Amino acid sequence: MKTAPPPICVTGLRGFPDVMGGIESHCEELLPRIAALAPEQRIVVLGRAPYLAEPKRMWRDVEIVGLPCPRSKNFETILSTLGAVFEAKRRGARVLHIHAIGPAILTPLARALGLRVIVTHHGTDYDRAKWGPFAKAVLRAGERAALAYADRIIAISPSLADQLRANFPRKAMAVHYIPNGAPKLPQDDAPDAMLARLGIGDAPFLLAVARLVPEKGLHDLIAAHRLAPAGRKLVIVGGANHDSPYARDLMANAGADVIFAGVQSRAVLAMLYRRAAMFAMPSYHEGLPIAALEAASEGAAMVLSDIPANRDIGLPAANYFPVGDVDALAAMLSRDPGALRADSAGVRARFSWDRAAEETLGLYRALQPAMSPEIRTSAA
């Protein structure tokens, strides 16, 4: 009788489903696909209890466990990851998959406990405006810890992979480019009713999907919307992680033509991508933005800032504007949307969650030889 391999534990995220965040969306797409490819392999997400409706559940063959932690901007990540490292060891895991460079600061501890470690680097978080000097120093230390101690490092964009190989040449062979995917989202059963509920109605509207934090550039988008021709509402989907002066000021000063729709389901997002006159992402910092990939996969007209992570999506040059240039963004918002539509089939071909799952599973197998060689190697 064949013995099941030890669990693979995943941490660095709050959990899923229905939890806001790019890393959460990444894991929600990726991990169930890996579970389908390798049904004998237990995958356990060690998430954060305050964000989960249940302390423990199975979701699409992935076990999700909420560990106690404070809901705190400054201490939540480090304390939840510390608990997850010890919990992974207690559960007999041999492989720990850490997401993001903040949690990765505990990679040396995980290795000292005998765990093999994969770190997915989702972006240079120390470039985000919301962090002060101390937090940025900690994030840089997390990146260095990941590159020094992790067995494998996954970079989600080609520009990030190139940057890591250049900055850490001794670990260049351990860096693997495995991008986010562009899924086909579910259909909403009553799109007109949903538009009415959100206060949008039948009129054309502009769409942004982002957390209400400075690096997403929503203040630039609102300013550009004021300069663009009147008549189209701006719908912003997303929320703030913690009580935020920036989010409060953004909502207080936005004006009547800006609708803050809060966090919405994937089905509602799909409907908004399809119905929007134009999707805008004016970010100053991204990893490989899942919201932009989702919008592109639905064939939306798209306007993106010209930061490297957005350019990694590979849209034509006409879809990009200089980051921070409000006048240029306003001019883009005034253009014919038909000239800015993404090639949905091309984006889905370049960015595949199924392929990402196969490649990530290959890294799991390399670090955990006990996984059965007879496990399937393509998605069901």
Side-chain angles (χ1 to χ4, degrees):
M1 182 176 176
K2 192 177 293 182
T3 303
I8 289 173
C9 291
V10 183
T11 193
L13 68 155
R14 299 175 183 91
F16 59 81
D18 302 323
V19 180
M20 179 183 70
I23 295 174
E24 286 71 23
S25 296
H26 172 102
C27 292
E28 183 175 339
E29 292 285 353
L30 181 71
L31 297 179
R33 284 175 165 85
I34 295 175
L37 291 170
E40 297 177 16
Q41 176 63 58
R42 282 179 61 214
I43 298 176
V44 182
V45 171
L46 301 175
R48 305 173 195 175
Y51 297 91
L52 299 174
E54 304 173 51
K56 183 176 179 180
R57 67 179 294 189
M58 293 294 297
W59 192 80
R60 292 176 58 190
D61 298 321
V62 176
E63 185 177 347
I64 302 169
V65 178
L67 301 180
C69 73
R71 194 162 181 163
S72 162
K73 175 182 175 182
N74 294 318
F75 301 108
E76 173 184 313
T77 297
I78 189 68
L79 292 178
S80 63
T81 308
L82 180 64
V85 170
F86 285 110
E87 180 67 13
K89 181 65 177 177
R90 188 189 71 80
R91 288 173 173 262
R94 293 181 186 169
V95 175
L96 177 65
H97 188 168
I98 300 175
H99 285 267
I101 57 174
I105 199 168
L106 292 173
T107 303
L109 173 63
R111 290 300 308 275
L113 292 174
L115 296 166
R116 308 297 297 276
V117 179
I118 298 171
V119 172
T120 294
H121 195 317
H122 288 267
T124 53
D125 291 344
Y126 42 77
D127 290 331
R128 292 184 172 181
K130 69 177 181 177
W131 298 120
F134 177 75
K136 290 184 177 185
V138 171
L139 290 166
R140 286 186 180 277
E143 182 182 70
R144 289 194 299 271
L147 271 295
Y149 291 94
D151 296 277
R152 304 287 188 276
I153 302 96
I154 297 171
I156 64 168
S157 72
S159 59
L160 177 60
D162 290 343
Q163 177 184 329
L164 294 178
R165 290 175 183 134
N167 292 345
F168 302 91
R170 293 184 179 179
K171 290 300 287 280
M173 297 299 294
V175 176
H176 299 261
Y177 164 53
I178 303 179
N180 293 330
K184 186 169 179 60
L185 295 171
Q187 298 279 345
D188 187 81
D189 293 333
D192 293 329
M194 187 59 64
L195 289 170
R197 183 181 69 79
L198 294 174
I200 300 171
D202 296 329
F205 63 93
L206 307 175
L207 176 66
V209 178
R211 286 176 294 112
L212 308 185
V213 291
E215 67 267 18
K216 297 298 183 180
L218 296 173
H219 51 284
D220 288 345
L221 180 57
I222 290 171
H225 179 245
R226 291 196 190 103
L227 297 175
R232 292 189 299 191
K233 293 181 179 179
L234 169 60
V235 179
I236 298 175
V237 177
N241 286 339
H242 304 279
D243 186 39
S244 162
Y246 174 83
R248 289 197 301 269
D249 290 346
L250 200 70
M251 290 187 280
N253 299 317
D257 286 337
V258 180
I259 297 172
F260 289 89
V263 179
Q264 297 293 332
S265 69
R266 308 295 293 282
V268 172
L269 280 174
M271 179 269 297
L272 292 172
Y273 293 136
R274 294 175 190 128
R275 293 292 189 95
M278 196 175 292
F279 170 87
M281 178 168 279
S283 305
Y284 287 72
H285 173 82
E286 291 287 348
L288 183 66
I290 289 177
L293 291 174
E294 290 176 342
S297 75
E298 297 298 334
M302 300 182 66
V303 174
L304 307 177
S305 59
D306 63 350
I307 60 175
N310 286 345
R311 285 198 170 275
D312 284 339
I313 296 172
L315 300 178
N319 291 82
Y320 296 96
F321 70 94
V323 62
D325 189 333
V326 171
D327 291 333
L329 176 54
M332 294 281 282
L333 297 179
S334 305
R335 292 186 57 190
D336 174 15
L340 299 172
R341 293 209 174 275
D343 173 11
S344 58
V347 169
R348 286 187 194 137
R350 291 197 305 276
F351 300 99
S352 164
W353 281 119
D354 290 338
R355 189 164 60 246
E358 290 183 0
E359 293 176 5
T360 304
L361 177 57
L363 298 185
Y364 288 175
R365 284 185 174 141
L367 298 183
Q368 183 154 289
M371 294 178 67
S372 171
E374 298 174 4
I375 292 173
R376 287 173 287 172
T377 56
S378 60

